[in-house]
Amino acid sequence: MSEINENSGENVNNLVPEENNAPVLNETVTEPKEIKVTDPQEPEVKQTAVEQTESKQTDSTQSGNKPVSKTPFNKNSDKAYSDKPSNRSGENRGYQNKRERPKGDTIYSDARSLAVKILTRVERTDAYLDKLIDFEIRTEQLNDYDKSLLNEICHGVIRWMRRLDWFLNGFYRGNWEKCTPEIKNTLRVALYQILFLNKIPDFAAVNEAVEFVKRISTQKHADVVNGLLRTIIRTKNDLVYPTREIDEVKYLGIMQSHPNWMVRRWIARFGFDDAALLAESNNKRPILTLRINTLKASKEEIFKRFDERSIVYRTCRYIDYFVTLRLMSKIYLDEDFKDGKYTVQDESAGLPAVLLKPTENDMILDMCAAPGGKSTHIAQLLGGKGKVYSVDKFDAKIKMMKQNAERLGITNIEFIQDDAADLQDERVKDLKFDKILLDAPCSGLGVLSKKPEIRWKREFEDVLALTEIQKNLLNSAVKYLKPGGVIVYSTCSTEQEENMDVVKDFLEKNPEFKIDNASQYVKSELVNTEGCIETFPHRHNIDGSFAARLIKK
């Protein structure tokens, strides 16, 4: 489970009346020195056959594309349709853009074109969506409105990519899977605005898409994009959706934009209705949650500050020093944030530290500490006493955690760059700890609302591979534990293989341990029948997570 930071743009409520935008982190993005655009695979527009009395006259802006009486969702287009958005780059035919751009002009100069740039990089690489967005919104290129629009479009397109592709695949003549990523993402960005952002005029979405394609490709392709999008606009109230009766897995996967393997597992485990609610929750805009740093400020002091600034807040249900906010833009610039009076952390990410129950003078090991939210939470619960040893493999993450601890005024954390499975650092290799937190590397399927790109980058085989790492780390924790000590194993996944199955495997290999029922430490509604914390977005309105408290018998 990880700590997420809020972006610095304004909220996009004036675009669409829903929750806050997803928070973002920071990472440098490098521009290619030379931009070459491949030619889309001879795209044409397939017109809809929805029965209507509308005249079949050619739209003057469609460059001659005429409606045809053929449904966009025929067996041929369905055959080419994939349950996961394609990341193929298409055939590079050596095409060079012959359109001369004005001197000083840039290809990526506004929120929509930057969204295409970001989405294309996410599709082609393992880059994190939030970090790419964060880099762009920290520049002076965009105003606050456009920063929020960029954030909204990027997260929205990734969330709803499969549904968007379902429609685009139906209207696109040619092989949609082989369409170049730049053109494909330009169409997705425009269609997302048309279908989901009801306060952005359709003509604006189309015009911006067409002008961008002119900059990166030819007039021919701009005309095709123009015609395709205008065709969808004319018939968007009569678009053809998949039906549950034919294939409920495909139906739910398309309607809620998740890959089939995920949906199939959830239907088998929870039933169709519960699986649908879980998928729906994953598509909601995440709510900003803060953990009040009680080492620097009381809850009452922070609530008073919010009231003075007319910030709407709500105390969280499960941990009373966590609060959710309706809107708080530019949190990086907020004085109370910079002073360390609170930090950004989901309530589910706070549960493992509560379950660990640190007590005065405890010596605690956080085996996989980055990005550091749980370590600082544990140090906060210790009241500045005791000692937390926070371990991570990577120097950059250690530096980030140190900066966060300094901001929060926490001094009882020792940061160690090492491999948690085999500690060699002189400061810890011979130590035994009172309590150990293992927040294990996991699939992240519990935080899909905050990190929507995960759904398109994971396969079930990845889950199975991660379970081996998790089992190894959990078994390694035993050698660092004092007699009578406590281990808390946690993930931000909803999948059984990463959660209860790992714990059961550990108990079989270490029969001297047992599960200490979590209902003694948190509200019982969060605890499953085996005595472990297990949360789901659609049931608890927090991120999906798991935590087990293990003690020697």
Side-chain angles (χ1 to χ4, degrees), residues 53-107:
T53 57
E54 180 183 28
S55 171
K56 294 185 178 180
Q57 294 180 349
T58 302
D59 191 312
S60 62
T61 62
Q62 286 186 285
S63 303
N65 288 313
K66 296 181 179 181
V68 296
S69 55
K70 183 191 293 183
T71 176
F73 304 110
N74 56 39
K75 62 181 180 180
N76 293 324
S77 65
D78 187 56
K79 182 178 180 181
Y81 181 79
S82 170
D83 77 308
K84 296 183 73 172
S86 171
N87 62 358
R88 296 182 185 177
S89 299
E91 297 178 6
N92 190 337
R93 304 175 184 177
Y95 172 78
Q96 297 292 329
N97 185 6
K98 295 182 177 61
R99 181 178 184 271
E100 184 178 354
R101 294 168 50 237
K103 186 176 180 180
D105 186 25
T106 58
I107 290 179

Side-chain angles (χ1 to χ4, degrees), residues 22-39:
V24 294
L25 296 172
N26 183 36
E27 181 186 65
T28 300
V29 181
T30 57
E31 286 273 10
K33 292 183 180 179
E34 182 181 0
I35 299 176
K36 297 181 180 180
V37 180
T38 56
D39 185 15

Side-chain angles (χ1 to χ4, degrees), residues 399-457:
K399 289 178 180 177
M400 176 187 66
M401 291 192 291
K402 284 182 178 178
Q403 292 172 355
N404 195 37
E406 289 172 4
R407 179 179 64 84
L408 296 170
I410 290 172
T411 58
N412 58 331
I413 300 180
E414 187 82 26
F415 295 99
I416 297 167
Q417 185 180 352
D418 206 344
D419 182 355
D422 185 23
L423 294 176
Q424 296 298 319
D425 190 284
E426 294 295 330
R427 291 169 290 177
V428 292
K429 71 176 184 178
D430 297 322
L431 291 180
K432 299 293 182 182
F433 297 90
D434 298 292
K435 289 165 184 159
I436 296 174
L437 172 63
L438 171 57
D439 186 48
C442 68
S443 64
L445 297 187
V447 293
L448 292 180
S449 66
K450 290 186 174 69
K451 299 181 179 180
E453 72 275 21
I454 289 176
R455 72 188 74 183
W456 310 125
K457 294 181 178 292

